Amino acid sequence: MLRLSKDYMMDTWWRSKDGMIDPSRTATPVLAIPAWEQACEAVLEGDRLALGARFCPVEKADGDGRARYELAPGTVVAVASARSSSPQRAYAVEADGTVAEIPLVEAEDRIDPAGGARRAWRRRCIRAGLTEKPTRFTFQRHSYEVGVVYDWAGEDYVAVVTRAGPVCVWARAVTYEEAVSLGLA
């Protein structure tokens, strides 16, 4: 009786007799990651990518130290180290059966495409170092006015001044709803 090697069986596409890829016969897509990492369903908690239900490997780590997971097309996977509660990488299983690493931002957008603009605004405010809670900044001289939206730390129109003194300014991030109403987002 003939047997196929494990590597041949883990191939995403079956090969024909001449060794060429035969797309008419597909195998289940397989994600192989180091055994010390966990593969989980990618979910959103609030607006951030998080670890959902953990996937069970179909093949435990062998000599190469990698665990293998069979996944359905369209699945978005978040990968983290065994003791971590936040994802470090994300993978997507495409319709053609390929498994590709994608940026965490793209994983968020694949899970919730409608919230992409809101998450992009949040990232802009974070890059400027602002939160929705006012923060005090000290300046020698300034001309900031309360209730006015300003550019901040290289980002256009992300800060609203809530209070201004002679040398201190309190500013917070413009919320997404405020940005939409002002035509900024």
Side-chain angles (χ1 to χ4, degrees):
M1 178 168 132
L2 295 173
R3 291 181 41 208
L4 298 174
S5 72
K6 284 183 184 179
D7 292 333
Y8 184 83
M9 293 178 73
M10 286 296 155
D11 199 358
T12 303
W13 298 97
W14 288 88
R15 298 190 183 275
S16 62
K17 285 192 256 182
D18 60 358
M20 301 303 293
I21 293 174
D22 182 5
S24 65
R25 300 189 62 194
T26 61
T28 305
V30 174
L31 170 67
I33 60 172
W36 59 85
E37 293 181 326
Q38 55 183 332
C40 301
E41 178 185 6
V43 297
L44 289 180
E45 284 183 2
D47 268 345
R48 293 183 184 0
L49 190 67
L51 303 174
R54 192 169 179 178
F55 290 114
C56 293
V58 291
E59 186 178 324
K60 295 286 185 184
D62 52 10
D64 67 353
R66 300 178 81 70
R68 290 170 174 74
Y69 301 85
E70 286 185 357
L71 306 165
T75 304
V76 179
V77 180
V79 175
S81 61
R83 293 191 176 134
S84 179
S85 60
S86 60
Q88 282 101 24
R89 294 189 319 279
Y91 293 89
V93 182
E94 305 296 342
D96 65 357
T98 58
V99 179
E101 184 172 352
I102 59 174
L104 298 178
V105 171
E106 185 179 333
E108 292 172 347
D109 290 344
R110 284 188 184 213
I111 295 168
D112 177 27
R118 185 180 63 249
R119 287 187 299 278
W121 182 260
R122 176 184 50 86
R123 286 189 297 272
R124 250 177 99 179
C125 292
I126 289 170
R127 278 194 305 265
L130 297 168
T131 64
E132 290 185 12
K133 180 181 173 189
T135 305
R136 186 180 79 177
F137 298 92
T138 305
F139 297 99
Q140 290 297 323
R141 293 185 189 149
H142 69 80
S143 59
Y144 291 107
E145 296 177 31
V146 175
V148 178
V149 177
Y150 293 96
D151 297 350
W152 205 266
E155 294 294 332
D156 296 333
Y157 303 110
V158 294
V160 63
V161 173
T162 59
R163 198 167 122 196
V167 290
C168 294
V169 171
W170 285 260
R172 66 167 174 81
V174 174
T175 65
Y176 179 69
E177 292 76 19
E178 291 170 335
V180 169
S181 70
L182 292 170
L184 301 173

